[in-house]
Amino acid sequence: MEEVLLRLKELLFPSIADVAVLSGDVNIAIVRVDAQCTADGAVCPVCGTRSNRLHGSYLRFPADVPSGGRRVVLQLRVRRFTCGNQSCARRTFVEQIPGLTRRHSQRTERLRSALASVGLALAGRAGARIASVLGVSVSRSTVLRLVDALPEPEMVAPRVVGVDEYATRKGRHYGTVLIDIETRRPVDLLPDREASSLAAVARRTAGR
Ligand SMILES: [Zn+2]
């Protein structure tokens, strides 16, 4: 049995250290994977002090990437530790498994990044639809929120810029939107349609 669980761990979490699979359960719609962190203690997210003073534990159920068309839900037993640093503002904290969980998230890191990639390519509504085809139930606003939470891409000065207009909500006022032709991302919004604003941006961009 142990051998099977070890193999399951390799299969499910190949790049994640300090996690052990305790059991797995497959039914018609859902795969449930019972897992826990095996690290000796955790680092306080506020002060960075390592602690292994156990305060308690509870279950979390983050959704993971689907497998074989089924939803995958982890059943993670997470531990709460007491921070040993007397001057730290945080008395206790909950462990996170690097590369797998983050605070308050109901999804694993890889599911978050998969949905964010879908959202980047397709935006909210179509993103949510494609996710459901892949076996992930998610709302379009969540898809957009995950895109929004992505780290800012490194700013590379665009090589080719296109110009378009945008209207303010009431349509009474027009501004100019600059688009990086290669990445198709907006680069800048100008409040008006004056050539002088455009020239100012061109100077700024050239100086990057
Ligand atoms: Zn602390």
Side-chain angles (χ1 to χ4, degrees):
M1 187 62 183
E2 222 153 83
E3 175 83 356
V4 174
L5 292 177
L6 219 62
R7 280 215 209 124
L8 204 54
K9 189 265 158 190
E10 288 303 313
L11 186 72
L12 293 171
F13 310 114
S15 57
I16 295 163
D18 299 332
V19 68
V21 173
L22 304 179
S23 68
D25 183 47
V26 182
N27 71 29
I28 293 170
I30 294 184
V31 177
R32 206 204 67 223
V33 179
D34 199 354
Q36 72 178 30
C37 184
T38 55
D40 175 27
V43 170
C44 170
V46 173
C47 71
T49 304
R50 201 169 179 86
S51 168
N52 56 9
R53 286 167 56 191
L54 192 63
H55 185 266
S57 71
Y58 63 97
L59 292 176
R60 281 179 76 178
F61 301 93
D64 197 12
V65 287
S67 170
R70 290 182 174 90
R71 283 171 54 203
V72 174
V73 175
L74 306 185
Q75 176 177 296
L76 268 184
R77 178 156 293 281
V78 294
R79 298 167 292 177
R80 182 178 280 281
F81 293 101
T82 304
C83 181
N85 179 358
Q86 294 298 324
S87 57
C88 180
R90 186 72 69 77
R91 229 171 45 80
T92 67
F93 62 91
V94 173
E95 68 182 346
Q96 302 297 336
I97 301 176
L100 192 66
T101 65
R102 77 167 62 189
R103 203 169 166 219
H104 299 319
S105 179
Q106 300 163 331
R107 295 176 181 81
T108 61
E109 293 294 90
R110 56 193 179 187
L111 180 56
R112 286 175 67 95
S113 81
L115 289 176
S117 303
V118 167
L120 258 185
L122 298 169
R125 194 187 297 265
R129 211 176 299 142
I130 289 297
S132 88
V133 170
L134 301 174
V136 183
S137 154
V138 65
S139 72
R140 64 193 164 113
S141 57
T142 300
V143 171
L144 293 179
R145 199 169 46 73
L146 291 170
V147 171
D148 202 42
L150 285 174
E152 286 285 319
E154 236 171 82
M155 220 22 211
V156 179
R159 295 194 310 145
V160 195
V161 174
V163 176
D164 204 349
E165 279 181 352
Y166 71 92
T168 55
R169 206 164 1 165
K170 288 183 180 140
R172 284 197 213 116
H173 179 90
Y174 287 87
T176 307
V177 54
L178 297 186
I179 297 159
D180 183 331
I181 299 292
E182 289 167 321
T183 63
R184 291 169 58 205
R185 279 168 179 265
V187 179
D188 211 342
L189 294 176
L190 309 182
D192 53 38
R193 289 187 285 187
E194 301 297 323
S196 56
S197 325
L198 200 54
V201 172
R203 279 196 299 275
R204 242 173 34 227
T205 309
R208 268 192 192 129

